[in-house]
Amino acid sequence: MSFSGDNEWTSSPAEFDFRSDTVTTPLPSMLSALQTASLGDDVYGESTSTNVLSTRLARLFNKPAALFVLSGTMGNQLCLRSLLQQPPYSILCDHRAHIFADEAGATSIISQAQITPVVPANGLYLTLEDVKKNVILSDDIHYAPTRVICLENTISSVIHPLSEIRRITRFAREHGIAIHLDGARLWNACSVPDAPTLAEYAAEADSVSVCVSKGLGAPVGSFILGSESMIQKANHIRKMLGGGIRQAGVLTAMADVAVTEVFEAGRLAEAHAYAKKVEAAWRRCGGEVLLPVDTNAVWVDLERRGVREEVWQSVGEEMGVKLGGVRIMTHFQNSDRAVERLEWVMQEACRRADEEGGRREKVEPSEVVRKSYLSKM
């Protein structure tokens, strides 16, 4: 399939978008892949494109089986429900975990599970010590015993070290607790120098979810991985939730290209390099960051630099740069010129903040804070 002229397939609209890596768009090669995509019915197990990619990923993660699902939220929820049996039970996770903060309360509805959110003592990621302080092992009838520990890697784009995950996993297995790994951006954790492999991370979990539309450019979907019986149960629940897909090959053909041409080709390292440039630009403006820049997110401390968020967003809009609050997220479809323009945004926002200086009156916090998915820490 050939392309002529400038269009959104040849020039991604995500270039100046730093809100999230979910904004990455399909490559021309992904569109070309549709010409040979299987049109078999995936509900009947007849989508060759989907079956081939599922087998490929199962091997890549060294798991017995894989299943394509429509979103990361669906993937996480299917995994949790498949690992759990009969309430009462609870799930322990980081207080920033997607399953707790960003899945519209799905865990309480689909799995009827209580969540135990934990603030990591190191401010970065959960440790075994955090788990031991918050896990519920008691059979006291007042409590919901911990049946699953959900880890997330990366968590706020910070890498959860494999060594620490192994400590938690050993403890969990000693107590009959399952481990779910929300690996929406596990691709990124495995794309830094001397990183463990996908299979090494996956070996520590009973179920894994990975996203193909976050940072890889595929338009839709995630894969979940686990044992044959776990995936069989998840497939049943997927159908119950309306997630059965007919011509899934239209989506998985593009996802296959994404894994090959973005992850395996090393293009996530480009996103990480952009993040380091963004961090350096912010520091040149006198700013500080809230978290280490391990992968592809820079958490800018606007408050300490004296920049009001509404000014930050406004300057971005004026200069054609899309921002999502204090989190600047980079991806392989950004560019050096996009990073340069972002630095202009930083400079102008800081200039306006410095002009305001002491003239700004102290504003008392509102009793009700409007929660935003993009503007959070």
Side-chain angles (χ1 to χ4, degrees), residues 36-157:
T36 55
S38 165
L39 298 180
D41 191 316
D42 186 51
V43 174
Y44 294 143
E46 297 171 354
S47 173
T48 305
S49 298
T50 305
N51 294 341
V52 167
L53 181 54
S54 296
T55 300
R56 176 188 177 190
L57 292 180
R59 289 174 178 166
L60 190 61
F61 285 81
N62 196 27
K63 288 293 187 187
L67 180 70
F68 179 66
V69 298
L70 286 171
S71 69
T73 293
M74 177 176 279
N76 283 334
Q77 294 304 320
L78 293 180
C79 287
L80 294 173
R81 189 64 194 89
S82 299
L83 293 175
L84 294 164
Q85 298 299 320
Q86 177 66 40
Y89 42 52
S90 63
I91 300 168
L92 186 150
C93 64
D94 190 293
H95 73 115
R96 301 161 296 173
H98 204 270
I99 67 158
F100 173 63
D102 301 308
E103 297 187 4
T107 308
S108 61
I109 297 169
I110 297 170
S111 292
Q112 298 176 290
Q114 172 179 297
I115 291 184
T116 306
V118 179
V119 178
N122 61 21
L124 301 174
Y125 50 79
L126 292 179
T127 64
L128 176 58
E129 288 68 33
D130 295 321
V131 169
K132 285 182 174 180
K133 286 180 182 178
N134 292 277
V135 69
I136 302 172
L137 301 177
S138 171
D139 59 1
D140 186 305
I141 62 172
H142 295 88
Y143 307 124
T146 304
R147 293 288 180 254
V148 174
I149 295 172
C150 177
L151 303 176
E152 193 168 319
N153 204 9
T154 60
I155 177 75
S156 295
S157 294

Side-chain angles (χ1 to χ4, degrees), residues 69 75 82 92 117 182 236 251 266 291 323 342 353 361-362 369-370:
V69 298
S82 299
L92 186 150
D182 179 352
H236 199 163
L251 300 175
L291 289 171
L323 298 170
L342 175 57
E361 293 182 7
K362 183 179 180 182
V369 178
R370 184 179 178 186

